[in-house]
Amino acid sequence: MTSNNTTTTTLVVGATGATGKWLVKLLLDQGHHVRVIARSKDRMVSVLQELDTEDQKTSTDNLTIKEAAVLDLSDAELQEQVNGCNAVVSCLGHTMDFKGMYGHPRKLVTEVVRRLTDAIKVTAPTAKFILMGTDAVANPNGQDDKRTFAERSIIFLLRHLLPPHADNEAAAAYLHNTLGTNSGVEWSVVRPTDLINGSPTEKYQLFDKPQGGLIGSGVTTRANVAHCMTEFITNNEKWSEYKFKMPVILDNVTAETN
Ligand SMILES: NC(=O)c1ccc[n+]([C@@H]2O[C@H](COP(=O)([O-])OP(=O)(O)OC[C@H]3O[C@@H](n4cnc5c(N)ncnc54)[C@H](OP(=O)(O)O)[C@@H]3O)[C@@H](O)[C@H]2O)c1
């Protein structure tokens, strides 16, 4: 397990995405090592460059890119990628077009969670595993507030009509029910609410359950999700507080309330 203020190595999948790119940037900017498995190396480099400003350019000296679709890698290749990592993070999400939602792999996130945590058991048993989830997925521990009848009806429809939602539910269930707290793998699921873009404000809060209805209960800046993940990776006290949990992350309503 990493101790605070030491250099860490993190494997990120979904790193070219709107949240993953921020996680990679924040870790590199803090001097940490990052490995990514990305379908396009060029895309990885360009999405990072897009975040550069005149004053601050991210060095990619500590970035290693394996060009592949993560589920195309063999178990041995995944074990090699995970070997030596302090943390493994999935910011994967289905592409929101017809092929991404109804094509294959239908259980992209769940399969990746299962295979990466299997790899962790073999080559990096102390690595922290962090999944980007959503507050539309209830914590399988049953401690979220019961949603209204209307919301439960919407979630029922999402589950049966939108494969990505069922996938996100299955991934959370795999971590909570199958791995649980005794598998040897430490995990956490960060559950944002409605996502927005923008730079990290670091003004957000973590809650143990959703803070309102499915829609209109606030927003979460993707870069703040990434910031929260960097805290989990680099701060062991934070990790002790949130491992085996599924915190809901919400931007603060006003800057003064952080
Ligand atoms: N939209 C919301 O308001 C909301 C709210 C809460 C939670 N979430 C959840 O947050 C997660 C991430 O959101 P985001 O907006 O950061 O995602 P995003 O920008 O859509 O990024 C998705 C990432 O997944 C990768 N990917 C997609 N299909 C893949 C496949 N078949 N194989 C390998 N990689 C694949 C993409 O890689 P490429 O660059 O190669 O395509 C990209 O890196 C999603 O799971 C979503 O369910 C969303």
Side-chain angles (χ1 to χ4, degrees):
M1 196 73 46
T2 52
S3 51
N4 301 345
N5 302 321
T6 60
T7 303
T8 63
T9 299
T10 298
L11 173 67
V12 183
V13 296
T16 52
T19 310
K21 66 183 179 183
W22 277 105
L23 176 62
V24 173
K25 176 185 169 56
L26 293 177
L27 287 169
L28 290 175
D29 287 349
Q30 289 177 25
H32 296 286
H33 292 259
V34 180
R35 297 175 192 169
V36 308
I37 302 169
R39 292 191 284 189
S40 162
K41 191 172 185 169
D42 288 347
R43 179 163 156 72
M44 184 71 247
V45 172
S46 78
V47 296
L48 272 182
Q49 282 172 346
E50 281 162 22
L51 299 179
D52 283 345
T53 61
E54 276 300 309
D55 305 328
Q56 214 260 332
K57 296 199 189 317
T58 293
S59 165
T60 53
D61 290 353
N62 291 336
L63 175 66
T64 310
I65 305 172
K66 169 83 177 172
E67 192 170 53
V70 54
L71 288 178
D72 287 348
L73 296 182
S74 67
D75 288 346
E77 286 171 317
L78 283 181
Q79 287 162 17
E80 187 188 332
Q81 289 299 315
V82 161
N83 190 10
C85 283
N86 305 101
V88 177
V89 184
S90 171
C91 294
L92 279 176
H94 294 253
T95 308
M96 284 300 158
D97 57 17
F98 190 83
K99 188 166 170 254
M101 288 197 288
Y102 296 101
H104 291 278
R106 194 64 71 91
K107 285 277 192 287
L108 169 71
V109 179
T110 310
E111 268 304 285
V112 165
V113 167
R114 184 183 66 74
R115 294 198 55 212
L116 285 176
T117 53
D118 279 353
I120 285 173
K121 287 177 193 166
V122 179
T123 50
T126 59
K128 305 164 177 174
F129 181 77
I130 303 170
L131 173 66
M132 179 164 180
T134 162
D135 74 345
V137 169
N139 191 327
N141 72 5
Q143 289 176 13
D144 286 0
D145 293 336
K146 191 173 179 182
R147 292 206 178 267
T148 63
F149 176 74
E151 287 181 336
R152 281 183 279 137
S153 304
I154 293 170
I155 289 174
F156 177 87
L157 289 175
L158 289 177
R159 185 178 301 135
H160 290 90
L161 297 177
L162 284 183
H165 183 77
D167 186 19
N168 283 336
E169 288 189 327
Y174 184 83
L175 289 170
H176 182 270
N177 302 335
T178 306
L179 290 188
T181 56
N182 293 315
S183 69
V185 180
E186 295 188 351
W187 54 265
S188 179
V189 183
V190 179
R191 293 188 290 165
T193 189
D194 299 345
L195 288 168
I196 58 169
N197 290 325
S199 300
T201 63
E202 301 181 23
K203 297 188 183 309
Y204 59 85
Q205 281 180 276
L206 298 178
F207 301 90
D208 57 3
K209 57 189 177 184
Q211 297 298 295
L214 261 187
I215 300 158
S217 59
V219 295
T220 314
T221 305
R222 287 179 170 89
N224 283 342
V225 177
H227 182 273
C228 168
M229 289 172 167
T230 63
E231 287 279 296
F232 284 10
I233 293 164
T234 60
N235 182 326
N236 285 335
E237 285 74 41
K238 269 261 152 61
W239 183 248
S240 296
E241 194 179 343
Y242 289 104
K243 70 181 179 186
F244 305 129
K245 293 183 179 169
M246 302 196 183
V248 168
I249 176 170
L250 268 166
D251 284 3
N252 289 347
V253 177
T254 61
E256 291 72 40
T257 56
N258 191 26

